[in-house]
Amino acid sequence: MEKKIARNQIKKILSIDAVSGFAIGGAAWVALLAARGFNTVEIGLLESIFHITSMTFEIPSGVIADVFGRRKTMIASRVMVIISSLLMIISRNFFTVAIAISASALSYNLASGTREALAYDTLKEAELEKEYDRFASNDLMIYQIFSSVGTLLAGVALVLGYRKANAVDAVIGAITVMIAFTLTEVHTKLHDVTSVLERFKETIQSSTSFIKESRKARLIILFNGLVGAVDVLVLFFLQAKLPAVGLNKLWLGPALFAMGIGAAAGAKATEYFNQKNYRRIGVLCAVGVSLSFASVFTGNYYLMILGGFIGAFSDNFLQVRTDVFLNSMIPSEQRATLMSVNSFAFSIIMIILSPIFGLMFA
């Protein structure tokens, strides 16, 4: 692949994440469900359903990407966004909303690992692997900035109502489908195997063997998942804690946006602090997320917002370094599958920690 074509493909992948950030229905799904009369217990159960679905299909989605191709899987992930949005529009009760939430989880699963694998192998084929660090940093930064804008527009979503807000999401999904269709497939060795069943079997066996043999990869995946889960849960519960300690509800959106900018800054900062010692990075980022966790118990919303900013910064800094470090260890033909293992571990940790954090922050 020519270098110009490769860099153009990277821009397309980044543009998909940028456009996806304007999905206001997804950004405000908790508030929209509450406005429809769903109670916090039901919303909490729906959050669990999202992560259970994500955990169940995370690794299979990575195998699908490695077997059938990353471009096709990216297109499928964008189509699932449209399906999820339409299902949310026609939903009438807990069961139908749960189906829509599950479809949303599948859209994340299909893109998770696939996006990173397509980007890395695109650059590798053009002999530009060294530019992957910049991609990983920019991708996470763009995602955080635009998703933060979506959070900032949560009030607009509430004014529009769940039908119109999710209709906006369906349009956003359609735009990203069109971008995904312009992507170019990067072929790997497994694409030459004739039997689909054999390809699935070989991919799973090779990926399982790699995880078993690489203790370092296992530890990095678990550590990254734990730090990320703590940060995500802290930010999630701050949505409820900040108004409870006196923050004006009108300032909740800007406060969440500010913390999102912290996440974007953390992703971008990796370009300027290219520290190769992963253990040192891990310790510093874990301390940052710990400070964020501790800030929740201060009862001071200024400290809580600052803590949320620091935690988001630290988490995303670690996420980018982990992404780059794992990709340098993973063989191309199982890249999407093994990167999905990283997300799978995160989902398991989220399911375990969610009720625990709910009790602690009650």
Side-chain angles (χ1 to χ4, degrees):
M1 182 179 292
E2 295 181 7
K3 293 183 178 181
K4 183 178 180 180
I5 296 175
R7 289 180 173 130
N8 188 47
Q9 172 131 303
I10 293 299
K11 290 178 182 178
K12 291 177 182 178
I13 296 172
L14 293 173
S15 68
I16 289 175
D17 279 346
V19 174
S20 298
F22 289 105
I24 59 175
W29 73 273
V30 173
L32 289 170
L33 286 177
R36 293 174 62 179
F38 288 87
N39 60 46
T40 54
V41 174
E42 291 173 319
I43 293 173
L45 287 173
L46 289 168
E47 174 75 8
S48 295
I49 289 171
F50 178 94
H51 287 291
I52 290 171
T53 303
S54 181
M55 178 187 70
T56 303
F57 291 99
E58 184 61 64
I59 295 177
S61 69
V63 175
I64 288 171
D66 283 331
V67 171
F68 293 107
R70 285 76 188 267
R71 174 181 175 272
K72 292 178 182 178
T73 308
M74 283 295 291
I75 293 171
S77 75
R78 300 300 89 203
V79 171
M80 288 306 300
V81 171
I82 301 174
I83 293 174
S84 172
S85 300
L86 295 177
L87 287 173
M88 191 64 81
I89 291 172
I90 65 174
S91 64
R92 293 292 181 270
N93 51 42
F94 180 89
F95 178 73
T96 51
V97 171
I99 295 175
I101 289 292
S102 297
S104 177
L106 284 174
S107 74
Y108 283 98
N109 289 152
L110 290 168
S112 174
T114 304
R115 177 198 305 108
E116 293 82 0
L118 180 59
Y120 191 88
D121 287 328
T122 293
L123 293 170
K124 184 177 181 180
E125 192 172 271
E127 299 181 351
L128 295 170
E129 299 101 309
K130 292 182 179 180
E131 294 186 13
Y132 183 78
D133 288 37
R134 183 184 301 172
F135 163 79
S137 173
N138 288 338
D139 184 48
L140 196 50
M141 180 190 68
I142 287 171
Y143 172 79
Q144 291 294 346
I145 289 176
F146 284 92
S147 61
S148 294
V149 171
T151 302
L152 192 61
L153 296 174
V156 175
L158 287 173
V159 172
L160 290 175
Y162 76 94
R163 290 190 180 90
K164 291 182 180 179
N166 283 286
V168 171
D169 287 10
V171 173
I172 293 297
I175 294 172
T176 59
V177 166
M178 290 188 287
I179 299 173
F181 264 108
T182 68
L183 295 171
T184 302
E185 186 61 81
V186 179
H187 297 284
T188 60
K189 288 187 294 183
L190 284 185
H191 290 192
D192 297 327
V193 183
T194 56
S195 169
V196 171
L197 291 178
E198 288 179 4
R199 288 157 69 184
F200 267 107
K201 183 178 179 180
E202 184 177 345
T203 301
I204 293 173
Q205 287 178 341
S206 299
S207 300
T208 302
S209 176
F210 177 82
I211 289 296
K212 284 183 178 180
E213 294 173 3
S214 180
R215 180 174 179 271
K216 180 183 289 186
R218 293 198 305 271
L219 291 175
I220 289 173
I221 287 171
L222 290 174
F223 175 73
N224 181 65
L226 178 61
V227 172
V230 171
D231 176 61
V232 168
L233 287 169
V234 167
L235 295 178
F236 180 81
F237 284 106
L238 279 177
Q239 294 184 34
K241 294 292 289 185
L242 286 171
V245 298
L247 181 70
N248 189 309
K249 292 182 179 180
L250 293 176
W251 286 100
L252 180 61
L256 296 175
F257 177 76
M259 289 183 277
I261 294 301
K268 187 64 177 176
T270 58
E271 288 188 31
Y272 306 101
F273 298 92
N274 192 21
Q275 171 59 254
K276 299 297 183 181
N277 190 320
Y278 184 85
R279 182 174 296 183
R280 185 177 300 171
I281 291 171
V283 170
L284 291 174
C285 292
V287 170
V289 172
S290 297
L291 290 174
S292 175
F293 175 80
S295 72
V296 180
F297 299 96
T298 64
N300 184 306
Y301 56 77
Y302 290 114
L303 291 178
M304 292 161 74
I305 294 171
L306 177 61
F309 181 95
I310 293 173
F313 180 99
S314 302
D315 177 27
N316 272 24
F317 193 99
L318 180 65
Q319 294 295 324
V320 172
R321 299 315 309 166
T322 299
D323 184 6
V324 173
F325 197 65
L326 283 177
N327 265 296
S328 68
M329 301 170 62
I330 293 173
S332 294
E333 52 268 22
Q334 289 96 43
R335 192 176 309 284
T337 303
L338 289 168
M339 290 305 291
S340 290
V341 171
N342 190 32
S343 298
F344 176 81
F346 173 77
S347 293
I348 292 178
I349 295 171
M350 281 289 290
I351 291 170
I352 295 172
L353 291 185
S354 291
I356 297 174
F357 273 56
L359 290 172
M360 286 191 298
F361 294 155

